[in-house]
Amino acid sequence: MEKKQQIYEGKAKKVYATDDPALLIVSYKDDATAFNGLKKGTIVGKGVINNRMSNALMCLLEQRGVPTHYVREIGERDTVVKKVTIVPLEVIVRNISAGSFAKRYGTEEGIVFDSPTVEFSYKNDALGDPLINAYHAVALKLATREEIETIKTYAFRINEILKEFWLSCGVTLVDFKLEFGRLLDGTIVLADEISPDTCRLWDTATGKKLDKDRFRRDLGGVEDAYQEIMGRLEAGLGR
Ligand code: ADP
Ligand code: UDP
C-alpha cells in the first residue's frame, strides 16, 4: 500500500489518502507541540516510537475486544488505518490527579482516585479545546447520546487494559487522551494514537515522568524518556 496525496498535516502526524477510499496512511513526525501549539520543538526519534507504541497498544486492545482503526504497520513511521470521521471530542481518562485536573481544582499532582474519571474536551483549536459536558456535546451535534455512552464504555475498558499492561512494565498509567471515530457504517472505533504524547506514564518505582511532560515542563532527558518507555513496552510485550 502506497501513500497518495497528503490530505492533512497536523501537529504530530501527516495523513495520506491511499488507493483504497476506506484506508488512510498516517505518518508520525518528530515535531512536538504543547499549550495549544504555543510551544514548539522536536523530539528526535519520537515519530518512530509513537508509531510502534500506538500500534502495539491498539493490537493489544483489539485482542481484548476493543475495535480500533489499526490495520497494518508499513514503515517505521507509517501505518495503514481505517478512515473514520473523527468525533470531535478529546476523551480524557484519569487515574491520578495531574496536569489540568490538578490546576483546575487546586489539588496537588499524584492523588490516586478511588475510581477513574472521564471528561471531554471539544476538539477545536480555535477555541483552545474547551472542556465540554455530554449534554453540550449532544446539543452541538458532535455525537449522539448513544455514541457518547459507547465511547465512555470503551474509554473505561481501555483504561483497565492499559493500566494492567503498564503495571506489568513497572509503569503507572496516570491519565491519557483518546479520540474515537465513525466508520462508514457508523460503528464507533478507537482512532488517532496512544503514545507518550497522549498519556502520562510514571515509573512506578521512582515516579520519574516517562512522557511528554518532560518536554512541556522543560525537565530535560526528553529523548531518553521516550526510549526508556519504549524499552519498557517491548519488555512488557516479551519482545
Ligand atoms: P492534530 O490534528 O491535533 O494536530 P495530529 O498531528 O495527530 O493531530 O493529526 C492527525 C489527525 O488525524 C488528527 O486530526 C486526528 O483526529 C486525525 N485522525 C486520526 N486517526 C484518524 C483516522 N483513522 N481517520 C481519520 N482521521 C484520523
Ligand atoms: N492530552 C493530549 N492532548 C491534548 C490534551 C491532553 O494528549 O490536547 C493528554 C495529556 O498528555 C495527558 C491527558 O491527556 O496525558 C490529560 O491532559 P490534561 O487535561 O491534564 O492537560 P495538560 O495539562 O496536559 O494540558
Side-chain angles (χ1 to χ4, degrees), residues 13 26 58 66 91 96 113 121 133 137 140-142 144 150 170 172 177 180 187 196 202 215 218 223:
K13 299 189 283 302
V26 293
M58 291 219 189
V66 178
V91 180
I96 297 178
F113 302 147
S121 291
N133 74 27
L140 291 168
K141 296 190 171 28
L142 307 182
T144 66
T150 303
T172 302
K177 182 267 301 180
F180 292 86
T187 308
W202 295 352
F215 168 79
D218 295 320
E223 274 92 0

Side-chain angles (χ1 to χ4, degrees), residues 2 17 22 26 87-88 114 121 126 135 146 155 160-161 167 170 176 178 190 200 210 215 220:
E2 284 175 40
V26 293
V87 175
D114 290 339
S121 291
Y135 293 97
E146 293 72 25
E160 291 310 315
I161 297 165
L167 201 61
F176 56 95
L178 301 170
L190 178 66
R200 285 194 171 91
L210 298 173
F215 168 79

Side-chain angles (χ1 to χ4, degrees), residues 90 92 94 98-101 104 119 129 175-177 196-200 213 216-217:
E90 296 195 335
I92 293 169
R94 300 178 191 271
S100 71
F101 182 97
R104 184 180 321 121
E119 75 213 37
D129 297 341
D175 59 29
F176 56 95
K177 182 267 301 180
D197 277 15
T198 64
C199 302
R200 285 194 171 91
D213 270 349
R216 292 191 191 98
R217 300 177 186 188

Side-chain angles (χ1 to χ4, degrees), residues 8-15 24 26 29 33 69 81-86 90 123 125 177 179 189-193:
Y8 181 75
E9 175 161 7
K11 296 184 286 291
K13 299 189 283 302
K14 293 179 183 179
V15 182
L24 299 172
V26 293
K29 308 190 287 182
T33 63
H69 72 164
V81 299
K82 292 174 191 161
K83 181 178 184 168
V84 300
T85 309
I86 292 284
E90 296 195 335
K123 214 175 123 60
D125 281 337
K177 182 267 301 180
E179 292 181 25
V189 303
L190 178 66
D192 205 48
E193 68 177 275

Side-chain angles (χ1 to χ4, degrees), residues 165-166 168-170 228-239:
F165 173 73
W166 281 118
S168 78
C169 307
E228 166 80 24
I229 195 71
M230 190 63 205
R232 296 292 190 89
L233 175 103
E234 291 191 319
L237 294 170
R239 285 183 188 163

Side-chain angles (χ1 to χ4, degrees), residues 48-62:
V48 173
I49 288 172
N50 286 7
N51 182 42
R52 284 160 54 202
M53 183 176 296
S54 190
N55 293 342
L57 294 175
M58 291 219 189
C59 282
L60 178 73
L61 293 172
E62 288 273 356

Side-chain angles (χ1 to χ4, degrees), residues 32-35 38-41 43 94 96-104 107-111 174-175 196-197 199-202 207-223 225-226:
T33 63
F35 314 118
L38 238 54
K39 183 180 170 86
K40 288 194 178 70
I43 302 174
R94 300 178 191 271
I96 297 178
S97 67
S100 71
F101 182 97
K103 193 170 175 203
R104 184 180 321 121
T107 69
E108 53 186 306
E109 293 201 313
I111 298 166
V174 175
D175 59 29
D197 277 15
C199 302
R200 285 194 171 91
L201 300 160
W202 295 352
K208 184 180 176 190
K209 296 184 195 331
L210 298 173
D211 56 58
K212 196 168 133 184
D213 270 349
R214 300 207 77 81
F215 168 79
R216 292 191 191 98
R217 300 177 186 188
D218 295 320
L219 299 177
V222 185
E223 274 92 0
Y226 275 71

